[in-house]
Amino acid sequence: VLTDNAPTLKYIAPATVLTATNGSNYSKITWQSVAGATGYEVYRTSSDDFSGLTLVANVGADVLSFVDNNVQAGKTYYYTIRTRDDEKSSVYSTPFEHTFLTIPQITSIANAYGGITFSWGAVEGAEKYHVYRKIYGATYYTYITTVDANTLSFTDTGATNGKIMCYTVKAVKGASASAYLAKCMTYVKA
């Protein structure tokens, strides 16, 4: 028999991880705020069975991101969040898979017959590379193509003669992508 004096159980939802992005030597995790939260606990593991979860951050309700500086190139991590209120912590959120990928370094760039050829160094853990270009001064890069992990060079036959062309490459594994750096040169048509 239930009475007005029966204990009540208040539910608090776990936070949902929204994004994971890579910087030069870190990964940044962001999550959605939860009404009534007083804080969030961020856990991480490198095991795909989610064993060995380790608390890596304990933050206030106004903090919705965590920068993980303890990452290794090419390694995949699983992040999960628990929401805290004044009484307890929530269950763990659905684990979010993310691989830390270093920035592909463009090692050479030169005019070639029919375009500009450039090469970059391999990135540990990459499954493929996305290649982008823009004319110097433009706001945004334009996607050109995707190449597999064994391809470390590209010739852009769409370079504009007499213009400074800028290129960048992103390493990709699953839904994870590296940050990027650009290299530029003036294209002189052969």
Side-chain angles (χ1 to χ4, degrees):
V1 176
L2 294 178
T3 68
D4 289 341
N5 296 325
T8 58
L9 181 63
K10 186 173 74 172
Y11 173 74
I12 185 162
T16 300
V17 177
L18 297 176
T19 63
T21 55
N22 287 315
S24 58
N25 58 0
Y26 63 87
S27 292
K28 182 178 181 180
I29 312 303
T30 66
W31 57 89
Q32 192 171 33
S33 63
V34 175
T38 59
Y40 303 96
E41 300 165 0
V42 183
Y43 293 83
R44 187 189 82 171
T45 181
S46 57
S47 300
D48 60 6
D49 64 358
F50 313 122
S51 62
L53 279 175
T54 301
L55 179 67
V56 291
N58 199 337
V59 298
D62 58 335
V63 178
L64 299 175
S65 65
F66 165 67
V67 174
D68 190 351
N69 293 300
N70 189 22
V71 288
Q72 295 178 24
K75 193 165 185 177
T76 298
Y77 299 95
Y78 303 86
Y79 295 90
T80 183
I81 314 290
R82 294 177 76 187
T83 305
R84 290 193 323 271
D85 66 10
D86 291 328
E87 300 173 5
K88 62 190 170 306
S89 297
S90 72
V91 298
Y92 294 100
S93 65
T94 301
F96 191 95
E97 180 179 342
H98 179 69
T99 301
F100 174 64
L101 298 165
T102 58
I103 298 172
Q105 302 291 322
I106 296 178
T107 54
S108 66
I109 184 168
N111 279 287
Y113 181 76
I116 292 178
T117 294
F118 55 98
S119 302
W120 58 90
V123 170
E124 188 173 347
E127 296 175 336
K128 56 190 172 183
Y129 299 96
H130 292 331
V131 181
Y132 302 83
R133 74 159 169 253
K134 73 174 183 176
I135 295 174
Y136 182 79
T139 304
Y140 300 107
Y141 279 91
T142 300
Y143 167 80
I144 305 174
T145 192
T146 297
V147 297
D148 65 40
N150 296 318
T151 302
L152 300 175
S153 65
F154 180 75
T155 298
D156 180 19
T157 57
T160 303
N161 189 37
K163 296 289 187 180
I164 299 174
M165 304 299 299
C166 299
Y167 298 93
T168 191
V169 179
K170 283 186 178 182
V172 177
K173 180 180 181 183
S176 303
S178 69
Y180 59 89
L181 294 173
K183 281 214 173 174
C184 307
M185 76 168 301
T186 301
Y187 175 48
V188 179
K189 190 172 183 178

